[in-house]
Amino acid sequence: MANLVAALASTHHPFYLKATTAPPGEQMPQAQIWKEKVEVYRETLTKAKPDLLVMVGSDHFHQLFLDNYPQFLIGKAPAYDATFYNEVREFGLPRYLLQGDEEMSGFMHQSFLDQDFDVALSNELKIDHSIICPIITLRPTNDLPVVPIYTNIFAPPLPSPKRFYDLGRAIRKAVMDYPADIRVAVIGTGHLSLELGGPRQFMETGPDPAFDRQAIDWVRHADIDSILANVTHASLQGHGNATHGFLNFILMLGVAGRQVADHADSLDLFHTMEAYFTWSLEGSAL
């Protein structure tokens, strides 16, 4: 059986690469500490020595639109073209070609169906920065095959927070049931309080620092009971119009299996709070 060796969750700020590779005189004041925090965050994945990455993200209306936006989707392709033209233009992100693993994707898809998750399937999925950003921060060599999983955090009606947590549990089971001796890490990205295109977008902090601090504490301590008791779609909207990305952090708690985070860190940038969590799961059981 496969060995689930690590889970990692973070925000996915698309300006990280540009901010930390600009000439020294042009870098933002937080660039060096941001880079240092990401390098520490990366250590869990490096030490885990995975053979394959299951990557959870959300399409930012690049390929999926309101006319056909599945709640949950898994890619099944030999390779994934990545990075859309506006991400190259606006964020300075490079284009990527990610290696896929069709056998693992097919097994996980069937496992989801067996666990009563009717997850959509795509053989032609293109990847955006929700998955490219963690490739840049965690595996810049891009030398491992990936299984991409997309969740709907943008196109209401959305699945419930409990449904996201249950999908995390289903991902955990699917990986651990895979009948091959490989090492698998699951990486997921989302948001804390975040405003996109609204009146709270360009504040000195994220739109709701109190929620950010509470959310980080919840995730650090794997307090899924408090999350499910307090987090609703309406409450997330109140923290910022894109804060529904926190649902992906809830999903990652399902993957981590209620384990307290081995590493938790954050960085307050002028309009958002960055956060980083890791769980070492070598030899963990269902």
Side-chain angles (χ1 to χ4, degrees), residues 98-112:
L98 307 183
Q99 178 187 349
D101 188 320
E102 293 175 281
E103 184 175 348
M104 183 62 156
S105 290
F107 180 88
M108 292 186 70
H109 188 218
Q110 184 62 58
S111 177
F112 293 153

Side-chain angles (χ1 to χ4, degrees), residues 157-171:
L158 308 181
S160 69
K162 177 64 161 53
R163 193 65 170 161
F164 273 79
Y165 177 72
D166 288 344
L167 180 58
R169 297 289 295 172
I171 291 171

Side-chain angles (χ1 to χ4, degrees), residues 43-122:
E43 289 178 3
T44 295
L45 186 70
T46 302
K47 292 177 180 177
K49 299 180 180 179
D51 303 307
L52 180 144
L53 305 177
V54 175
M55 306 199 68
V56 178
S58 301
D59 181 78
H60 294 69
F61 294 112
H62 282 117
Q63 184 168 4
L64 306 176
F65 302 95
L66 295 176
D67 61 337
N68 186 13
Y69 204 119
Q71 302 295 356
F72 303 116
L73 179 149
I74 187 170
K76 183 185 179 186
Y80 301 94
D81 187 24
T83 318
F84 288 79
Y85 74 94
N86 67 310
E87 297 172 311
V88 176
R89 181 192 66 211
E90 299 296 330
F91 309 141
L93 296 180
R95 296 191 180 276
Y96 278 87
L97 184 67
L98 307 183
Q99 178 187 349
D101 188 320
E102 293 175 281
E103 184 175 348
M104 183 62 156
S105 290
F107 180 88
M108 292 186 70
H109 188 218
Q110 184 62 58
S111 177
F112 293 153
L113 296 173
D114 293 343
Q115 296 180 70
D116 295 326
F117 270 96
D118 299 330
V119 174
L121 177 72
S122 174

Side-chain angles (χ1 to χ4, degrees), residues 246-258:
F246 183 64
L247 294 166
N248 280 348
F249 283 96
I250 297 174
L251 181 154
M252 291 304 298
L253 288 179
V255 175
R258 288 181 174 261

Side-chain angles (χ1 to χ4, degrees), residues 107-143:
F107 180 88
M108 292 186 70
H109 188 218
Q110 184 62 58
S111 177
F112 293 153
L113 296 173
D114 293 343
Q115 296 180 70
D116 295 326
F117 270 96
D118 299 330
V119 174
L121 177 72
S122 174
N123 299 116
E124 300 179 344
L125 187 64
K126 185 172 178 177
I127 302 301
D128 81 357
H129 71 271
S130 66
I131 287 176
I132 287 307
C133 285
I135 289 291
I136 290 170
T137 56
L138 290 171
R139 200 73 179 192
T141 52
N142 185 30
D143 59 344

